[in-house]
Amino acid sequence: MKHPIGSYPRVRVQDDGRQVVSQAGSVLLVETVRKSGLDQAISAALAPWRKPRAVHDPGKILLDVALAVALGGDCLADIAMLRCEPALFGPVASDPTVSRLIDTLAASGEKALQAIRSARSEVRNRAWSLAGKNAPDSDGQVTVDLDGVLVIAHSDKEDAAATWKKTYGHHPLMAFVDHGPGGTGEPVAALLRPGNAGSNTATDHITTAQLALSQLPKKYRRGRKTLIRTDSAGGTHDFVSWLAKRGRWLSYSVGMVITDTIHQHMLKIPASAWTPAIETDGQVRDGAWVAELTGNLLDGWPKGMRLIVRKERPHPGAQLRITDADGMRITCFATNTPDRPIAELELRHRLRARAEDRIRAARATGLRNLPLHHTAQNKIWLEIIQIALDLLAWMPMLALTGKARLWEPRRLRFRLFSTAAQLVTTGRRRILRLTQHWPWTGEITGALERLALLPNPG
């Protein structure tokens, strides 16, 4: 009796297979594009850049690159994975055509960027309307998180510089809309900056906030229904004053640097003034307390600002800082939300940590590096990344349910998009037959059914 050698079965490989489609699950992204009207909006926005006898539409080219990035690509040449599957993605432009378009848009500067951003804003409004109770504004509030990202450059690129972490590259400032505990999040702004750009530059925070607000539906571009959250990099007089300016009235929750004055006031807080911090389920957070600071600390800051400090036992192995006290890690943030318990406000601010998940997803979706040399080209690349991330946020929001709505890009690619299928042509119809043994085939077919029920764009 012969026993098999090795752990895996041996198979014969031939290259004559027909009507087999790889990345078949990416039909979910294609249907999301169709139902949201993103293809029409991008094509209309980039119509001025289409040459009279051009074969490929600039909007379709840009959207194809974004789809390639959403599927895991990290450079323009990765559009080849779409070109190999015309049954799913239609005709796809060649690499030289893609490069020429990026150069053309980069040469147009802010005009091209504004066209792309306007199209994204228009489609975002429709996507949120289609999502209903799953939309990030279903409770009448929108939360926007601002955070910086370090992007390493492995070669000499325009505006690449040494960063504060002693690396070399760029330091873009990004903004994400938080989808809450039942979802992920989507990007609404990306400001490309040199690697040596400061973390607490108020001008950059204001510019990024303006870009983010312009992406939201008009009713959220001013007023208390929109909350802007940042870490301590946003805790500057100029930025906080801009957020609270009369007529803008935005809500904010921004981290603050522990200055010596704040530290001394914190040491004087009596034990009875400390309130236990809470978890998302309402239970007391073990080893954490919060208190509100008052008095002349708020002199010179916008009216209505509240300063809340938290002390917490550091986790084992954590290094204490000079601003910590009595073996406790001390943090502080400011907000202008009145009449709410400080423990609830501290929990809301702590949930800003979800922005780190959004940054991780962005790194896995084209932001690991900036593949082009010139800054103007990489600004277009950042817009492509944001379109890809929009699709990866809108598709679960519109079509997935349960825990699948929380899947990050890597898991979506491994479980859904990489599914193989057989393409069958019968009559005038083309049918994609997904493999039955794949554990997540039901997720794909269920999601497609939900997308099919949504109205088509006008």
Side-chain angles (χ1 to χ4, degrees):
M1 179 178 179
K2 293 183 178 181
H3 296 282
I5 299 176
S7 302
Y8 298 96
R10 296 183 63 181
V11 296
R12 293 181 179 271
V13 178
Q14 297 179 344
D15 60 358
D16 58 352
R18 298 181 181 180
Q19 303 299 322
V20 177
V21 178
S22 61
Q23 300 287 335
S26 57
V27 70
L28 289 168
L29 295 178
V30 174
E31 286 302 310
T32 301
V33 167
R34 183 178 291 112
K35 289 297 183 177
S36 65
L38 183 60
D39 51 346
Q40 299 176 19
I42 294 289
S43 294
L46 297 186
W49 286 271
R50 180 167 188 172
K51 295 182 179 180
R53 291 191 289 179
V55 175
H56 295 281
D57 175 52
K60 172 69 162 53
I61 297 174
L62 198 75
L63 197 50
D64 282 344
V65 178
L67 284 169
V69 172
L71 293 174
D74 62 359
C75 65
L76 297 180
D78 285 335
I79 197 175
M81 76 171 78
L82 273 65
R83 195 180 299 118
C84 296
E85 299 293 354
L88 282 184
F89 304 105
V92 176
S94 65
D95 289 350
T97 301
V98 174
S99 296
R100 285 195 296 269
L101 174 64
I102 299 301
D103 290 341
T104 301
L105 295 177
S108 300
E110 287 298 319
K111 183 178 179 181
L113 293 174
Q114 186 55 43
I116 298 171
R117 290 164 182 166
S118 296
R120 290 178 55 224
S121 176
E122 174 190 338
V123 178
R124 191 180 318 281
N125 197 2
R126 172 173 169 79
W128 288 12
S129 298
L130 292 175
K133 64 179 182 179
N134 292 331
D137 66 336
S138 59
D139 60 351
Q141 300 280 332
V142 173
T143 300
V144 179
D145 293 315
L146 273 61
D147 209 346
V149 187
L150 291 181
V151 181
I152 306 300
H154 299 284
S155 62
D156 189 20
K157 299 179 186 293
E158 187 178 6
D159 284 339
T163 71
W164 60 276
K165 278 197 173 182
K166 299 181 180 181
T167 56
Y168 181 80
H170 297 81
H171 188 193
L173 186 60
M174 300 191 69
F176 300 89
V177 169
D178 184 19
H179 283 198
T184 55
E186 58 191 272
V188 284
L191 180 66
L192 185 58
R193 305 186 300 169
N196 57 2
S199 296
N200 57 348
T201 306
T203 303
D204 292 343
H205 278 76
I206 291 173
T207 301
T208 305
Q210 289 173 329
L211 292 174
L213 292 172
S214 67
Q215 285 292 307
L216 304 181
K218 288 185 177 180
K219 62 181 178 180
Y220 296 116
R221 295 179 185 177
R222 65 180 67 242
R224 299 292 192 205
K225 292 182 178 180
T226 301
L227 172 68
I228 305 293
R229 289 191 304 204
T230 74
D231 56 11
S232 59
T236 60
H237 279 81
D238 290 344
F239 183 55
V240 173
S241 298
W242 183 86
L243 292 172
K245 185 177 179 180
R246 184 180 179 88
R248 193 171 288 117
W249 303 121
L250 295 167
S251 296
Y252 61 82
S253 182
V254 299
M256 301 292 288
V257 175
I258 304 292
T259 63
D260 184 64
T261 304
I262 293 177
H263 191 256
Q264 294 302 319
H265 276 72
M266 186 274 301
L267 294 176
K268 299 176 183 178
I269 299 176
S272 59
W274 290 97
T275 300
I278 59 174
E279 299 283 10
T280 53
D281 58 2
Q283 299 296 316
V284 171
R285 182 177 177 86
D286 185 41
W289 299 266
V290 293
E292 185 168 1
L293 299 177
T294 58
N296 58 8
L297 272 176
L298 303 179
D299 292 348
W301 291 91
K303 184 179 179 181
M305 175 173 148
R306 303 173 68 184
L307 199 61
I308 299 171
V309 65
R310 180 185 70 163
K311 65 178 182 180
E312 183 172 17
R313 296 193 192 100
H315 61 80
Q319 295 292 324
L320 292 176
R321 299 168 296 192
I322 194 171
T323 55
D324 296 332
D326 299 328
M328 295 285 188
R329 174 59 53 83
I330 306 299
T331 56
C332 183
F333 71 97
T335 182
N336 61 347
T337 303
D339 305 325
R340 288 180 65 176
I342 58 175
E344 184 179 334
L345 294 174
E346 190 275 332
L347 172 63
R348 185 185 69 176
H349 184 75
R350 196 181 343 128
L351 292 177
R352 196 203 68 82
R354 281 199 287 251
E356 299 297 332
D357 298 334
R358 308 289 78 77
I359 291 174
R360 183 174 62 249
R363 290 187 189 279
T365 312
L367 198 60
R368 182 180 62 85
N369 70 308
L370 299 177
L372 306 171
H373 178 77
H374 297 291
T375 296
Q377 296 171 323
N378 283 322
K379 286 182 178 180
I380 301 297
W381 180 255
L382 275 183
E383 295 301 319
I384 291 171
I385 290 173
Q386 290 180 86
I387 294 173
L389 289 170
D390 281 339
L391 290 174
L392 292 173
W394 294 342
M395 187 277 290
M397 182 176 70
L398 296 173
L400 297 182
T401 59
K403 292 183 178 180
R405 280 197 63 206
L406 299 174
W407 290 351
E408 292 190 359
R410 291 180 186 275
R411 183 162 292 181
L412 289 171
R413 292 168 193 147
F414 280 123
R415 294 188 174 184
L416 302 186
F417 303 153
S418 62
T419 306
Q422 181 184 20
L423 183 65
V424 178
T425 303
T426 170
R428 296 183 178 181
R429 296 183 303 167
R430 289 183 297 180
I431 300 173
L432 207 59
R433 290 182 174 174
L434 302 176
T435 178
Q436 290 184 346
H437 71 269
W438 191 251
W440 302 281
T441 294
E443 292 282 359
I444 299 173
T445 55
L448 290 172
E449 289 172 359
R450 296 182 196 100
L451 287 171
L453 295 175
L454 298 177
N456 294 316

